[in-house]
Amino acid sequence: MMFDPQVIIEKLPEIGSGLFVTLWLWIAGVLGGVVAGFIVATARRFGGKIVNAVLGTIVEVLRGTPFLIQIFLLYYGGPFVGLMLDPIPCGLIGLTVYSAAYYSEVFRAGYASVPVGHVEAAACLGMTRFQTISRIQVPEMALIVLPPAINLAIILLKESAVLSIITVPELTATVSAIGSQQYAFLEAIFILAIVYWIIVELTDRLGRVAENRLSRLRFSKA
């Protein structure tokens, strides 16, 4: 069996459609996870022991179970509790919740990285908790949390391939179907590897650019 790129070329519109679904689910899931993760980390930081314990337990459960299992439970187990979700909304919710658990730990570590003296100084100046978070803690921890946040986004991109299991028409599902229909399994695997690699490289480079600019901005204000 010879490698035949023509099979892939003929199916580029379908592959493009699958890539679009992957990209918007990934971007929306990451953005949702960042927002939810920040809220969870902030609540754990300032919400007291009970809130910290409850949210901490939920985070550990989500981080301690495979994404595949979570998606199965949400999609196939949801109807048993009255939750009926189509594949794409289910995938988006699952990816958002899963990423939120990990981003919450990134932000929790970011909060811990801010020197206590800076927070105490803000309190001495009469800043409210919201002002302390927005003006002191978030700007200081931004440069620290950016690299792990970008790395986590890359991991989530590759995790999104799991959504093909619940028939989400994303890149992996689309290309795998093409490979099965055309008996072009090698071509399908090759194109999947190339496309994911390109997206990962672009994300990594954009992350480095953002990190450099944020670093320059921080030191220019210092």
Side-chain angles (χ1 to χ4, degrees):
M1 181 180 295
M2 297 182 63
F3 185 86
D4 184 11
Q6 188 63 31
V7 174
I8 299 301
I9 294 174
E10 292 174 354
K11 298 293 183 178
L12 282 180
E14 295 179 33
I15 295 173
S17 177
L19 176 60
F20 175 77
V21 173
T22 289
L23 288 177
W24 88 258
L25 278 175
W26 170 54
I27 293 172
V30 167
L31 292 178
V34 167
V35 173
F38 180 76
I39 293 173
V40 170
T42 303
R44 292 187 65 185
R45 182 78 175 182
F46 303 104
K49 293 182 178 180
I50 296 178
V51 173
N52 180 45
V54 172
L55 292 178
T57 300
I58 296 174
V59 167
E60 288 306 309
V61 169
L62 291 172
R63 293 175 67 236
T65 53
F67 182 49
L68 176 62
I69 302 301
Q70 295 176 25
I71 284 296
F72 270 140
L73 288 175
L74 184 61
Y75 186 66
Y76 294 109
F80 288 96
V81 294
L83 184 62
M84 305 287 291
L85 293 171
D86 290 330
I88 290 181
C90 179
L92 179 57
I93 293 172
L95 195 61
T96 300
V97 173
Y98 182 72
S99 63
Y102 283 90
Y103 275 115
S104 71
E105 289 296 287
V106 171
F107 287 119
R108 191 168 69 91
Y111 273 123
S113 69
V114 178
V116 177
H118 294 188
V119 178
E120 293 176 345
C124 292
L125 292 173
M127 287 187 177
T128 63
R129 179 170 291 177
F130 177 78
Q131 290 174 324
T132 302
I133 294 173
S134 61
R135 297 183 182 182
I136 304 297
Q137 293 178 291
V138 171
E140 287 197 23
M141 73 180 186
L143 187 60
I144 297 173
V145 303
L146 185 58
I150 295 297
N151 185 59
L152 180 54
I154 290 173
I155 293 173
L156 291 169
L157 169 65
K158 291 179 282 189
E159 288 281 10
S160 69
V162 171
L163 301 180
S164 62
I165 300 297
I166 59 170
T167 69
V168 173
E170 45 78 66
L171 182 63
T172 299
T174 301
V175 176
S176 297
I178 292 172
S180 298
Q181 294 165 3
Q182 303 295 323
Y183 297 98
F185 301 105
L186 178 60
E187 291 85 348
I189 294 172
F190 179 78
I191 194 64
L192 271 178
I194 291 296
V195 173
Y196 278 115
W197 177 75
I198 290 173
I199 300 173
V200 167
E201 285 297 311
L202 288 175
T203 304
D204 182 60
R205 290 180 184 274
L206 288 174
R208 292 181 185 180
V209 170
E211 186 179 352
N212 289 335
R213 290 187 177 181
L214 186 60
S215 180
R216 292 173 185 173
L217 180 63
R218 177 181 177 184
F219 287 114
S220 67
K221 291 183 177 181

